[in-house]
Amino acid sequence: MRLLVIRTTAMGDVALTVPVISGMRKQHPDVEIVMMTRKTFLPFFSAISGFRSFSPDFNGRHKGFFGLIRLFFDLRTEVKPDKIIDLHDVLRSKIIRFLFSLSGIPVYVIDKGRSEKKSLITGKKKVVLKHSVERYADVFLKAGFPVTPERNKTIISSEADLGSVNSLTEPGFTNIGVAPFAKHKLKMWPEEYMIKLLELISSATPCRFFIFRGKEDTEAMKTYIEKVPGIYDVHGKMTLSGELALMSRLDLMISMDSSNMHLAAVCGTKVISIWGGTDPMAGFGAWMQPDNYSIRIPVEELDCRPCTIYGKGRSRHGMECMRRLTPDIVFTRMKTLKVI
């Protein structure tokens, strides 16, 4: 039995497939899994025995509508799947799975819970929704393969990658990763708040900060370099495999609701996450982290939140959810949790 599993973006969402794919390989070793995802994300799966991948070329051979037709034929010829598991449910994956269904191949699709999420942000129903990892597992169950997602560290770095970052973390210091940026404004804590928090932590314990970011954050990064002594900017200094290895060596990650939050969690690192317009109750919290590690203004105190599921849109009250969440509140929580 060979399954074609589809999830090509985004980085954090692809990382959240790892606990399920890893669980599948261990609990159903006779089932072959071929993951269709971007080549960039393959380091997430490097420790999974028997893992196979197919990386589409959306900028070349598989670009546009006719490229998707070619992609279907390439998958049918090279992968020869017995079943399709669509963990993405976007236009591209819909076209691919439709073509496979015409060929008589069974297709199973994720239920993203769109109506439940809409009720959450409109305030009709403030309930904790199923986690994305559990939604992924549900699709395999529909296909006839019950799977328990892995709950421990699932992105495991090679000895070579670990060796390449060993000199960066220092014994006797608390090595802390910081991911202060996010794709959408509704997920962003004010810059001055994060800098103040790092100052409070520095005053409490000997520590070293490692900033994880994207290319688009280069200008904003200058302020952190100027105001936080001894900060280490990870961007551009190592491969994704190296970044994952460094994350696994950290004592703690402090992150917005972003891909780095998910990466650190599946690397087995403690994650303190800071939430504004979004909320972990929508099913996107850091995997297997205690709920009190997700710091936010409770919905009972600010019932306009969450006002968004993915971070898009406008704040209903001018980012009150982030302004109220002061550095002192976050620092006090971290001391209470004894993570610093």
Side-chain angles (χ1 to χ4, degrees), residues 7 10-11 22 28 49 137 203 210 217 227 234-236 261-262 298 311:
R7 180 80 218 200
M11 180 178 282
S22 180
H28 301 276
S49 175
S203 67
F210 298 86
D217 305 310
K227 296 189 174 182
V234 174
H235 178 73
M261 173 187 74
H262 297 300

XYZ file of all heavy atoms in Angstrom, residues 7 10-11 22 28 49 137 203 210 217 227 234-236 261-262 298 311:
135
model
N 0.977 18.106 1.137
C 1.009 19.346 1.925
C 2.250 20.113 1.483
O 3.377 19.748 1.826
C 1.054 19.064 3.419
C 1.077 20.330 4.298
C -0.284 20.948 4.466
N -0.252 22.406 4.467
C -1.223 23.166 4.964
N -2.290 22.621 5.507
N -1.137 24.479 4.903
N 2.120 25.903 4.479
C 3.247 26.792 4.728
C 4.211 26.077 5.672
O 3.919 24.971 6.147
C 2.735 28.079 5.366
N 5.349 26.704 5.964
C 6.390 26.017 6.717
C 5.883 25.404 8.022
O 6.129 24.230 8.313
C 7.554 26.971 6.998
C 8.681 26.318 7.774
S 10.095 27.412 8.069
C 10.916 27.363 6.488
N 5.573 10.498 11.179
C 6.450 9.672 12.002
C 5.650 8.562 12.687
O 6.069 7.391 12.725
C 7.159 10.541 13.045
O 8.005 9.771 13.861
N 2.408 1.745 11.236
C 2.003 1.025 10.021
C 3.213 0.889 9.103
O 3.254 1.460 8.004
C 0.870 1.775 9.292
C -0.363 1.974 10.118
N -1.332 0.991 10.226
C -0.784 3.020 10.874
C -2.315 1.443 11.011
N -1.995 2.654 11.428
N 12.372 6.939 9.194
C 12.816 5.765 8.438
C 11.836 5.437 7.311
O 10.623 5.443 7.498
C 12.933 4.568 9.384
O 13.241 3.400 8.666
N -4.257 13.609 11.522
C -4.415 12.198 11.890
C -5.793 11.683 11.483
O -5.933 10.516 11.077
C -4.197 12.014 13.386
N 18.547 40.671 32.944
C 18.825 41.140 34.307
C 18.612 40.041 35.344
O 19.106 40.128 36.468
C 17.942 42.343 34.648
O 16.580 41.958 34.719
N 19.267 34.088 20.573
C 19.441 33.748 19.161
C 18.166 34.152 18.419
O 17.081 33.632 18.726
C 19.682 32.245 18.997
C 20.926 31.757 19.687
C 20.901 31.391 21.035
C 22.122 31.671 19.002
C 22.043 30.953 21.683
C 23.278 31.228 19.636
C 23.238 30.871 20.980
N 12.722 40.542 7.329
C 12.825 41.205 8.635
C 14.186 41.872 8.852
O 14.499 42.285 9.967
C 12.583 40.187 9.761
C 11.262 39.465 9.604
O 10.235 40.140 9.403
O 11.252 38.213 9.676
N 20.066 47.404 20.399
C 19.562 47.558 21.768
C 19.741 46.342 22.678
O 19.602 46.467 23.895
C 18.082 47.947 21.725
C 17.847 49.303 21.070
C 16.415 49.773 21.231
C 16.246 51.178 20.699
N 14.873 51.698 20.874
N 20.577 34.610 13.579
C 20.777 33.303 12.944
C 20.651 33.378 11.421
O 21.322 32.641 10.694
C 19.744 32.286 13.505
C 19.816 30.961 12.759
C 19.973 32.072 14.995
N 19.824 34.284 10.921
C 19.486 34.315 9.494
C 20.732 34.417 8.596
O 21.619 35.249 8.815
C 18.572 35.493 9.183
C 18.220 35.601 7.732
N 17.338 34.734 7.121
C 18.661 36.447 6.763
C 17.242 35.057 5.841
N 18.028 36.086 5.603
N 20.769 33.542 7.584
C 21.829 33.579 6.586
C 23.129 32.947 7.008
O 24.075 32.860 6.214
N 7.646 28.927 16.042
C 7.008 28.337 17.223
C 6.794 26.840 16.998
O 7.110 26.004 17.859
C 5.670 29.024 17.487
C 4.827 28.387 18.578
S 3.178 29.124 18.711
C 2.368 28.424 17.254
N 6.261 26.487 15.829
C 5.990 25.081 15.524
C 7.285 24.285 15.358
O 7.389 23.152 15.841
C 5.149 24.975 14.249
C 3.797 25.614 14.373
N 2.878 25.204 15.312
C 3.209 26.624 13.675
C 1.776 25.933 15.196
N 1.959 26.800 14.215
N -6.806 36.685 28.348
C -7.923 35.736 28.259
C -9.121 36.336 27.526
O -9.380 37.538 27.615
C -8.268 35.464 29.737
C -7.027 35.810 30.497
C -6.385 36.931 29.751
N -4.241 35.337 11.078
C -3.506 36.585 11.230
C -3.901 37.661 10.241
O -3.496 38.811 10.369
